Every structure is written in structure tokens, then in C-alpha cells.
Amino acid sequence: DSRHMPVRFQDVLRAWPVVHRHLPSTPLYRYSLLSSRWGFDAFVKHENHLPIGAFKVRGGVNLFATLSDAERARGVITATRGNHGLSIAWAARTFGSRAVIYVPKGNNPEKNAIMQALGAEVVEHGRDFDDARAEAEARARNELMRFVDPANEPLLIAGIGPYAMEIAEELPDADAIFVPVVAFSGAYWFQRG
């Protein structure tokens, strides 16, 4: 089962053309003020230019592109508090599939509304993410739907990788990359100046 395998560089290379069939490369801009303050050329990769405003849509596209026809017909189910659900909803719509997305009660109403507008079935359940996730996993087993783990799904992770390949193409001599681990839809790439 590929869902329990580590992501390899070959997986990212396989995902690259799949992702680019459905999504544009995002712009990479040099930021003069950051460069001046930090003493080297600083660039920002604008993943916020993607359809859901976040890099995670890349993973959703890669996942749905690799599902079998039977899996796409049944649809997928997941749990989220935001961008992962937007990714799954957008990709499901793009591939003509079904997405059931569990969120905790009191989740961000705007994120819920966008997921619904993309055609996903949004189900509010439980007091927190863990409650919503447990219910989504149980429903997936009962309805024979593919449960998509929001954090440990190799196809999602491999699908995100092509953004780094885009950076390498545009800035082949870059020295370092910093990827924020906060709710930010981009990556910083730095090159010594």
C-alpha cells in the first residue's frame, strides 16, 4: 500500500508534470526591502497565486490524478480545519469526483463556505480536529471511501514537491530555502548577494 511508503525524490519527479497539467507555476519575486535588511538577495515564492490561495492544492491534484476510476467514483473523505480541505475540494471538482470533508464544530465559516462552493460535502462534527478526524475515518471504513490523511499521505506530499523544482529552475544557484511552518502560503528562497 503506497499510503504507508516514504516519499522519494522520484515521487516528486512523477508528480511534477501531473501538477503542471492542472496548475500554473507560481511567481518568484525578489523583495528589495528584505534583501536590503538581510544583506543578500531574498525571493518570495507566491503560492498564494494558486486557485485556493495555498500550496496544498498541488498535493490534492496529485492525489486525485493517481486515484483509480473506482476510487474517484466513490470519492474521498478527510478531516481538516482549512487549506487541506480546500485542496481536496478543488481537486475533487477538477477530477469530477466526490469529497466529504469533516471539520470541527465552530470551524472557520469562510473556509467551510468555500469548500461547499467547490462542491464538497462539509460535515461539522466534534469539538476539535481529532473528533472530526475520528468520525471521518469511521465513515470512510463504513462507506468504503478512501480516507485521505491530512498530514501523512505520500501522494499529497509528493504533489507539493514541484514548487521546489520550480524554484530550482528559476534560481539554480540559490544557496538556501526557508519554508515557514506557520499558516503562510509561500516559501522564502534566499540567494547570497
Side-chain angles (χ1 to χ4, degrees), residues 50-73:
L50 292 169
I52 66 164
F55 69 92
K56 289 190 177 188
V57 71
R58 294 169 178 268
V61 165
N62 190 52
L63 176 111
F64 274 90
T66 60
L67 293 178
S68 69
D69 290 340
E71 286 176 311
R72 271 196 218 119

Side-chain angles (χ1 to χ4, degrees), residues 52 74 158 185:
I52 66 164
R74 283 190 303 273
S185 295

